[in-house]
Each structure stands twice: as structure tokens, then as C-alpha cells.
Amino acid sequence: MNIKDVVRIKLPIGEELAIQKNRIVGNAPGSKRICIITGTHGDELEGQYVAWSLARALRARLDDLHGIVDIYPSLNPLGISTIERGLPGFDLDMNRIFPGSNEFSANEYVAGKIVEDVSGADLAIDIHASNIFLREIPQIRINEKTADTLVPMAMNLNMDFIWIHSAATVLESTLAWSLNSTGTPCLVVEMGVGMRISKEYGDRLTTGIMTTMAKMGMLDGPVMPVFPPIISTDGHVDYINANQSGIFMPETAHGSIVEKGQVVGVVADPLTGHVREKLVSPLSGLLFTLREYPVVYSGSLIARGLGGA
């Protein structure tokens, strides 16, 4: 086990903030490097399982490994330990301060050191979960400007689909944007729900990472088969939002195929026992996002569907 500090800074009251990585080195360590990154948001825990699972799997196959695997399990350890999405005490989303800077705040300094450490990798995989309100099937989100480069790299990650976003929906202050814009290919994985671990999803991604490494020439020996993902653009995705406040009761399973006009769920009024609103699918296709937290207000996102899936 080779634990390294990416950055370490002093905090008040004699404490320290340490961002660390687990570097796993195989044969021919100078050949290729892949970075597995997670824990940017303190309420997104799906990547914790993947970091643990992948490290265990690779330790058992060190003789098959070529190159270097860097696993960054927690870019925001204070957020994880306090169950806060952002940086505690600053009300700041860490994924909005990249690429960072050595000249301003401590948080930007930390962000800059992370980018510096990951830069130059042959592939970076930035693992996120959804928030506590929505559940997502395993997916990869790619900016349309980098789709030609990144889509082929994403095909073996064992995810259900690849969502190619328009440039307007991708924030330039994210880690993925900062890496991709400077020549380090970075894929963003989104899966599961906030504050939970979905073991099935984590196992799938672990398998996909190892298969991807095999395709890159970094791993010898057998790998599990993976399924090709659906590839979609913004034009294939439709949204369902609540128009009434109340309690959302789903009537369709997450990840299922729905028909246009099918009832996805209802907004219920616990006081009167009435249904305030029936929410129907605007398309036929895959229900890849579904409301997890039941309390909703007018405008709350209930579901996203992928047409033609």
C-alpha cells in the first residue's frame, strides 16, 4: 500500500486538512496512469465503495497490472465526515472552484494542487452520486465539445448510458472541465443517490474500470464482460416536474421502460387524502432519473426520461 499526500494544509485549532491518494504500481510503471477520483461532494458516497472495491481487486492482481493506478477516495474529507455536500464552514461547492489557484484562498490552493496531481494521466474517472432528492441509473456525462475523444473511452465502463450534454449545461469551474480543457481526458460518472451506497452500481463500475484498463493495455488476464451503453444527447432527454406541492408517490420503477402518457407517479395530499396531480411520461423510453425524496413543491424535478431507449 502506497499512500501519498496530494496536499496538506494547516487548519485552526492545530488540525490539518489532508487530501490523500492510494497509488497502486504495477509492472512498467512509466507506461500509463489512470486516476479514480471521488468524494468531491460530502453527501455523495457511491464512489467510496468503488475506491475500496477497486483497490482490493487490483491488490489481488498486481502481477497482471501495468502502469499506475491513483485512487483519490476523498477530495472533500471534511464534507464526508460532517455529511455536508460542500466545504464545511464556507457554504462552497468544491466542484465550482477548479482549476484553483495558488494566489487566493486555501480552498482554491487545495483545488489547484488536485488538478496539478491528476494532470497528465491517460484517463481520469470522476465518480459522483446524485443528491438526496433523486436516484440515477449508472451513467456517464460528457460535454459535447469533448465527445469525440471521450465517448470511445467511456464505452467499456459498464454504465447504462452516455449522456452528451450541450456546452451550456457544463460548468467551466468543475474538475472534469478543468482537466479536459488542459488535455487530461476525464469522464464523469453519475449513479445512485446521495448519502447511500448502491453496491450493485459500485460493482458494475469496478468491473467497467478494470475492463477499461484491460483495453488500455494496463491489465492482463480475464475481465468480466460489459454491456455497451446507450448514447444520448440533450435532444433525447425529457423532464417531468411537479406542478403541485405534496408527497410524491411513484407508480413506476426507477430504470424501467415507460410509454408516453404512462403515469410515473402522483402528488398526494396527506391532509385530505386526495391526489393533487398525476404525473405522466411525455415520451416512450427509459426512466433514468426518479425522485427519491418524497416531499415536493411546484417545480420540483420528478423524473428524467430518455426517448427511444
Side-chain angles (χ1 to χ4, degrees):
M1 187 163 57
N2 190 4
I3 305 301
K4 294 180 174 291
D5 283 353
V6 176
V7 58
R8 183 180 290 269
I9 62 171
K10 297 289 186 180
L11 295 175
I13 324 177
E15 296 181 329
E16 287 186 322
L17 170 64
I19 311 297
Q20 296 182 303
K21 68 179 180 182
N22 180 5
R23 169 161 283 189
I24 303 172
V25 181
N27 303 308
S31 54
K32 288 188 177 180
R33 178 166 67 107
I34 186 171
C35 296
I36 312 302
I37 306 160
T38 191
T40 307
H41 294 128
D43 62 349
E44 297 181 0
L45 305 177
E46 302 284 7
Q48 301 299 297
Y49 177 81
V50 177
W52 174 78
S53 176
L54 182 65
R56 287 165 56 89
L58 291 177
R59 280 206 310 270
R61 296 183 59 178
L62 279 178
D63 291 341
D64 295 334
L65 178 62
H66 305 287
I68 296 172
V69 181
D70 281 335
I71 301 175
Y72 304 73
S74 180
L75 295 194
N76 181 11
L78 296 180
I80 289 176
S81 62
T82 58
I83 324 176
E84 289 191 37
R85 182 171 181 81
L87 295 163
F90 295 92
D91 192 25
L92 183 66
D93 186 336
M94 188 175 189
N95 211 26
R96 300 294 181 268
I97 60 174
F98 290 104
S101 171
N102 291 332
E103 300 178 0
F104 298 105
S105 69
N107 291 321
E108 289 177 293
Y109 174 78
V110 168
K113 288 298 183 183
I114 292 168
V115 171
E116 180 182 311
D117 200 79
V118 177
S119 291
D122 295 277
L123 178 62
I125 300 172
D126 184 17
I127 305 170
H128 291 262
S130 186
N131 52 38
I132 64 170
F133 299 101
L134 302 166
R135 180 177 289 275
E136 302 279 359
I137 66 171
Q139 60 196 264
I140 301 167
R141 298 183 179 180
I142 294 174
N143 174 10
E144 63 182 6
K145 291 185 176 181
T146 56
D148 289 346
T149 299
L150 295 184
V151 168
M153 293 182 163
M155 294 299 292
N156 295 296
L157 274 180
N158 210 25
M159 300 287 95
D160 286 325
F161 85 105
I162 298 170
W163 185 0
I164 302 173
H165 277 274
S166 66
T169 63
V170 180
L171 296 174
E172 297 185 11
S173 53
T174 63
L175 175 61
W177 177 281
S178 299
L179 291 172
N180 282 312
S181 63
T182 54
T184 299
C186 181
L187 298 169
V188 176
V189 170
E190 187 98 12
M191 63 183 188
V193 66
M195 297 190 182
R196 297 291 184 272
I197 287 176
S198 308
K199 184 175 181 295
E200 175 191 355
Y201 292 170
D203 287 338
R204 285 183 54 187
L205 181 55
T206 301
T207 296
I209 291 170
M210 296 184 73
T211 300
T212 297
M213 289 173 58
K215 296 291 183 180
M216 294 171 64
M218 294 183 66
L219 192 66
D220 294 336
V223 291
M224 296 287 288
V226 299
F227 296 96
I230 300 166
I231 300 176
S232 173
T233 64
D234 281 341
H236 298 123
V237 173
D238 218 330
Y239 298 74
I240 303 174
N241 295 85
N243 295 304
Q244 301 290 329
S245 299
I247 301 298
F248 174 65
M249 304 290 189
E251 295 190 3
T252 305
H254 179 235
S256 63
I257 300 296
V258 296
E259 299 297 329
K260 184 176 181 179
Q262 181 177 337
V263 176
V264 172
V266 300
V267 177
D269 184 345
L271 177 62
T272 66
H274 292 150
V275 171
R276 288 185 170 178
E277 182 182 10
K278 287 187 177 180
L279 297 159
V280 301
S281 174
L283 50 73
S284 296
L286 175 67
L287 196 69
F288 69 87
T289 303
L290 187 63
R291 185 82 177 183
E292 179 81 8
Y293 191 75
V295 177
V296 299
Y297 302 96
S298 177
S300 294
L301 179 61
I302 299 298
R304 283 187 285 238
L306 176 62

